[in-house]
Amino acid sequence: MKQIFVVEGRNDQIKLNQVYPDLIVVSVNGSEVDKKVLDFLISKQNDYEIVLIMDPDYPGLKIRDELESKLKNVSHVFLERNKSFSKNKKKIGFEHLSNEEIIKVLNNIVKPNYLASDVDLNFLYEHHLIGHKNSKVIRNDLAKKLNIGYVNGKTLLKRLNQFNINKSDILKHL
C-alpha cells in the first residue's frame, strides 16, 4: 500500500524529503493539527497507509493521539529522545536527527494490531513497570527495546495493547 508520512512541522518535512525525495510527506503545521491537513488525510486514508512521525515530546504525543483517534490505517514511527535533540540540546524533534538515524527509524514502522493482549495494570505493577521507585527507568528501557516510543505508565499499557504485545514478549526484554 502507498504511504503518506505525517510530520509536525515544515522543517521536519524538508529534512525527510532530503533523505527520501520521493516520499509523500505532509506537515500538520506545528503544535496543532491544521483542519485542512486533517481533511486531506481523511480523504486519503482508504488508499494510503498514514505513517505518523511525531517529535518525542508532549506536543508530539498530543498530535499523535489526535490523529490516531480521527484516522484509520495509521502506523507509527517512534523517535528516541536522546537522538532527537538539537546540537545545543535546547530543542527536540525529527529535524535534528542525522540522516543515518532517519534511515534507521523509517525501517521500524510499527503497525497496530488490535488483538487482545494479556497485559494489564497488575502485570505492569508486579514487574516494576509502574508504581515503583525505578519504574520510569525500567519502563523506558522496555519501550526502547520494543520500539514503542517514550511512554508513561498509562501510555505503556495503551501501546502494549495497541500493538498486541503480550506478557511473554515483555518478559523476554526485562
Side-chain angles (χ1 to χ4, degrees):
M1 178 175 262
K2 300 177 285 185
Q3 298 171 312
I4 296 175
F5 291 83
V6 182
V7 295
E8 284 185 52
R10 181 91 176 107
N11 291 337
D12 301 326
Q13 184 176 8
I14 291 167
K15 180 78 175 194
L16 185 53
N17 278 137
Q18 285 174 345
V19 179
Y20 292 104
D22 297 330
L23 291 184
I24 301 170
V25 183
V26 175
S27 165
V28 297
N29 298 322
S31 60
E32 291 187 25
V33 179
D34 183 291
K35 181 166 176 14
K36 289 178 185 176
V37 173
L38 180 59
D39 291 343
F40 169 77
L41 293 172
I42 289 170
S43 76
K44 299 297 183 188
Q45 68 184 344
N46 291 324
D47 300 317
Y48 290 83
E49 173 187 12
I50 309 295
V51 181
L52 304 180
I53 307 175
M54 299 297 129
D55 296 345
D57 57 8
Y58 179 75
L61 178 62
K62 195 172 149 188
I63 292 168
R64 184 184 298 278
D65 288 345
E66 179 181 351
L67 290 173
E68 188 175 35
S69 72
K70 294 180 179 174
L71 298 168
K72 57 184 178 180
N73 202 20
V74 174
S75 296
H76 302 271
V77 170
F78 295 106
L79 310 178
E80 288 185 44
R81 289 179 62 83
N82 64 334
K83 295 183 179 175
S84 303
F85 282 102
S86 61
K87 289 181 181 175
N88 66 8
K89 305 285 187 210
K90 292 185 178 182
K91 294 185 177 186
I92 189 167
F94 179 82
E95 67 187 89
H96 305 296
L97 292 177
S98 68
N99 291 353
E100 295 77 22
E101 190 63 23
I102 290 172
I103 292 166
K104 180 180 167 189
V105 298
L106 261 62
N107 284 319
N108 288 304
I109 297 173
V110 183
K111 299 174 189 299
N113 180 358
Y114 291 99
L115 300 174
S117 171
D118 59 353
V119 178
D120 58 18
L121 288 173
N122 288 335
F123 176 84
L124 297 180
Y125 183 80
E126 288 170 10
H127 291 88
H128 294 249
L129 292 161
I130 60 171
H132 296 277
K133 189 175 183 179
N134 61 341
S135 292
K136 182 176 181 179
V137 172
I138 297 169
R139 185 173 55 243
N140 287 319
D141 181 56
L142 176 66
K144 183 177 178 181
K145 290 175 182 173
L146 295 173
N147 189 36
I148 59 173
Y150 180 81
V151 293
N152 62 21
K154 183 178 174 183
T155 304
L156 174 64
L157 182 60
K158 175 185 171 189
R159 291 201 183 141
L160 293 172
N161 285 298
Q162 180 180 33
F163 300 118
N164 194 28
I165 299 170
N166 292 309
K167 291 177 182 177
S168 60
D169 300 323
I170 293 167
L171 292 173
K172 290 176 193 173
H173 295 287
L174 287 179

